[in-house]
Amino acid sequence: MLQPTTLLINDPSIIKGLLDGTLVRYGSVIRYAAGTEKGGQIVKHLTEVPGILDVLKLLPASPASPLIDTMGHGLTYHKLMGLDRKLTGITNQLFGIEKTLSSVMGLTQIAAGASVLNLGVSIAGFAYMGYKLHQIQKSLGHLQQTMEIGFTRVEAGLHHLDNKMTEGFNVVIKGLNYLDDRLDTVSGQLAYLYLLVQDSRQKQESLAKAISHLHQAMLIKEIATLKAELDDRTRFPNESPRQALKTASSVRLFFGSEAMKVTPELNAELMLNSDIAIQGWAVATATEANLLLEIGHHQDAKQLLTEEVSKFKQVAQRWADHCLNQDNKYLGTAYRFDAPIFQDYITSERIERISQISNSDRCLTLEQIQHKKNEIEVEFEMSYSSQKYDQNWINQQIALAEYLDTLSELSARLDTLQDFAALCEAKEVKSSKELLPDEKSQPGLYLLPF
């Protein structure tokens, strides 16, 4: 029997709490804000209806863009909330309220990669995860092609430089022709060694490329396997989920292993492969857990999530600590993104999410946070700052902020999926479907019975 659900925009108390700051969104739940009497306690769970899928697909596919369009996400979210007047007939006044809500819920600047988990756990969620996996695969191919073009240009530049250097060496060699013939013998030996080194370097580069392409092919294969299973599940939702569970488990183990074995490093190709593995891990974990909840295996879902969420958080924190500690000690914090040079690119909600996966920031008091901000302000006012922290550095930081935001949001979504599993068990439902809105419900975000 379906439990009654409430459209978010129809609950004034939740809206008021989000607007005045006593409530906050974390992953797929709404909680009392830290510092309040019930700080951290869950107020409501969030989910969506299948009709929201087409709107979600409008979100950008690649989390690599350094200059994310905040307003674009806001407008997309307004459509996601069912605020298009052609669909809902919501008044202009209510539209204004929801426009503000998209900000206070922390949905105006979430890295696109984090949207692979959606806000819900319905069959539409499976379809959307399959869609996102396809987008990830396309992005991977596009980035590889772009990188190869870039490498070709660099190689051409190096050849040009090599030719110039060769001309210079020829001039020098002409001036040394009077040396003893014994030097000719040495020169010949050096030339031989040079050829050996060149041959070795070319072979190493060739081997490295082959290994990289093989690794990416393995990632794509696993993505394709899971996507095919998700597509099949969407087409035949009433079939036994056993094969889908088996596939999700296999893909989860593969991607989890790939994500955990990577040592964080600011290397484009390594970060790309790691990002694909992490997102694939999150999707596969969410898929497996949702399928278990759908057939009433609450304990199995809880055990799975307990194990995977702990490991996922460790990976997220490891990346955060590495990325945030590349500069001097004053900037080794997520709150460096609060500096004026980032105000047009990084919102405060993104900074707050990143701080949640930073070991040095997560438990800071308001006084300690302000102290860090003061130190950062002084650092950026130093005479050397304009040269040391130039536009290239700023662009890199914007990209890192989005990368870390993805990890934080995915971590929160998986974390709150544990809460949903606990809710299913507490309600003693035979299937998680009993807690979700039916397919005839109006598109939008819903508050689940709690």
Side-chain angles (χ1 to χ4, degrees):
M1 180 178 180
L2 293 177
Q3 305 284 326
T5 57
T6 305
L7 195 63
L8 174 61
I9 57 177
N10 292 335
D11 193 316
S13 63
I14 297 295
I15 293 176
K16 179 179 181 298
L18 290 168
L19 292 174
D20 63 25
T22 57
L23 301 178
V24 294
R25 181 194 67 85
Y26 172 73
S28 300
V29 301
I30 294 176
R31 289 177 171 173
Y32 288 105
T36 61
E37 183 179 352
K38 300 180 180 179
Q41 292 186 26
I42 297 175
V43 180
K44 288 288 184 180
H45 291 258
L46 291 168
T47 191
E48 90 296 329
V49 297
I52 209 170
L53 177 60
D54 292 335
V55 178
L56 286 169
K57 288 183 179 181
L58 298 177
L59 289 173
S62 172
S65 172
L67 303 177
I68 190 167
D69 183 355
T70 301
M71 282 303 296
H73 274 284
L75 293 173
T76 299
Y77 177 63
H78 300 154
K79 294 179 181 179
L80 179 150
M81 291 291 290
L83 294 174
D84 190 310
R85 278 178 288 183
K86 293 181 180 179
L87 296 177
T88 63
I90 300 297
T91 63
N92 288 332
Q93 180 181 3
L94 191 53
F95 180 87
I97 292 175
E98 285 300 343
K99 184 175 181 180
T100 306
L101 265 181
S102 67
S103 176
V104 297
M105 285 185 70
L107 291 170
T108 58
Q109 195 184 62
I110 293 177
S115 64
V116 293
L117 288 188
N118 201 349
L119 281 175
V121 289
S122 67
I123 290 298
F126 296 142
Y128 184 59
M129 283 186 272
Y131 168 80
K132 290 301 293 185
L133 285 171
H134 178 63
Q135 293 295 85
I136 291 170
Q137 183 176 341
K138 286 172 58 180
S139 297
L140 183 60
H142 175 71
L143 284 173
Q144 180 177 337
Q145 183 181 13
T146 303
M147 289 171 67
E148 288 177 353
I149 293 173
F151 288 144
T152 301
R153 290 176 179 173
V154 171
E155 186 177 356
L158 289 174
H159 281 311
H160 178 71
L161 180 61
D162 183 57
N163 291 335
K164 291 294 184 182
M165 291 176 66
T166 301
E167 292 175 7
F169 286 138
N170 288 336
V171 174
V172 174
I173 290 173
K174 289 179 181 179
L176 297 175
N177 282 336
Y178 66 90
L179 290 178
D180 191 86
D181 290 343
R182 285 176 297 177
L183 290 179
D184 291 335
T185 303
V186 175
S187 177
Q189 291 174 346
L190 290 175
Y192 172 68
L193 293 174
Y194 174 76
L195 288 173
L196 280 180
V197 172
Q198 280 292 97
D199 182 62
S200 176
R201 183 170 68 86
Q202 290 173 356
K203 285 183 178 179
Q204 289 175 0
E205 289 178 352
S206 177
L207 182 61
K209 278 187 176 181
I211 293 174
S212 175
H213 290 163
L214 180 62
H215 184 220
Q216 291 179 0
M218 291 173 63
L219 294 177
I220 291 174
K221 176 181 178 296
E222 294 298 322
I223 289 173
T225 299
L226 182 56
K227 182 182 182 302
E229 200 63 58
L230 289 170
D231 289 343
D232 184 73
R233 184 66 184 158
T234 303
R235 296 188 186 102
F236 308 101
N238 297 321
E239 295 294 324
S240 171
R242 289 185 60 182
Q243 182 58 43
L245 275 167
K246 183 178 179 180
T247 300
S249 179
S250 174
V251 174
R252 169 180 59 82
L253 291 170
F254 172 80
F255 278 127
S257 175
E258 290 293 303
M260 293 186 68
K261 74 181 183 184
V262 173
T263 299
E265 183 181 340
L266 297 187
N267 173 278
E269 188 165 4
L270 182 143
M271 292 182 73
L272 171 63
N273 287 336
S274 177
D275 192 30
I276 298 299
I278 287 171
Q279 292 191 43
W281 184 15
V283 170
T285 301
T287 300
E288 187 175 355
N290 287 331
L291 288 171
L292 287 169
L293 293 173
E294 189 178 301
I295 59 177
H297 288 215
H298 308 140
Q299 282 294 332
D300 291 339
K302 289 174 63 177
Q303 182 178 350
L304 166 70
L305 291 168
T306 298
E307 295 173 357
E308 296 303 302
V309 171
S310 176
K311 292 186 289 186
F312 195 95
K313 286 184 176 181
Q314 290 176 22
V315 171
Q317 290 166 10
R318 192 163 69 234
W319 272 102
D321 292 343
H322 179 80
C323 292
L324 295 176
N325 288 285
Q326 294 297 312
D327 301 292
N328 63 48
K329 63 179 182 180
Y330 301 116
L331 299 183
T333 170
Y335 294 102
R336 70 179 179 217
F337 299 128
D338 193 54
I341 58 176
F342 297 116
Q343 65 181 3
D344 293 333
Y345 310 110
I346 303 175
T347 62
S348 58
E349 65 201 36
R350 170 165 284 180
I351 299 170
E352 183 59 31
R353 280 194 294 270
I354 295 172
S355 71
Q356 296 303 307
I357 59 172
S358 167
N359 285 316
S360 61
D361 295 325
R362 192 166 57 252
C363 299
L364 293 178
T365 64
L366 292 177
E367 183 179 353
Q368 291 171 324
I369 292 173
Q370 188 57 52
H371 178 69
K372 281 184 175 287
K373 290 182 178 180
N374 292 339
E375 290 183 331
I376 293 167
E377 183 179 355
V378 171
E379 175 65 17
F380 282 126
E381 289 178 351
M382 299 299 286
S383 58
Y384 55 75
S385 64
S386 60
Q387 293 182 337
K388 186 175 182 180
Y389 308 118
D390 57 13
Q391 190 60 48
N392 287 334
W393 181 86
I394 292 172
N395 289 342
Q396 182 191 60
Q397 299 307 303
I398 295 170
L400 287 178
E402 189 161 354
Y403 187 79
L404 295 178
D405 189 16
T406 299
L407 295 178
S408 180
E409 186 64 21
L410 287 176
S411 181
R413 300 289 176 91
L414 287 175
D415 191 12
T416 51
L417 189 52
Q418 293 185 100
D419 298 315
F420 180 73
L423 177 65
C424 290
E425 186 176 45
K427 290 286 187 178
E428 298 181 343
V429 295
K430 294 181 179 179
S431 170
S432 57
K433 290 181 178 180
E434 296 178 28
L435 296 176
L436 304 174
D438 60 41
E439 297 183 1
K440 297 180 181 179
S441 300
Q442 171 185 323
L445 294 178
Y446 281 79
L447 301 170
L448 301 183
F450 189 43

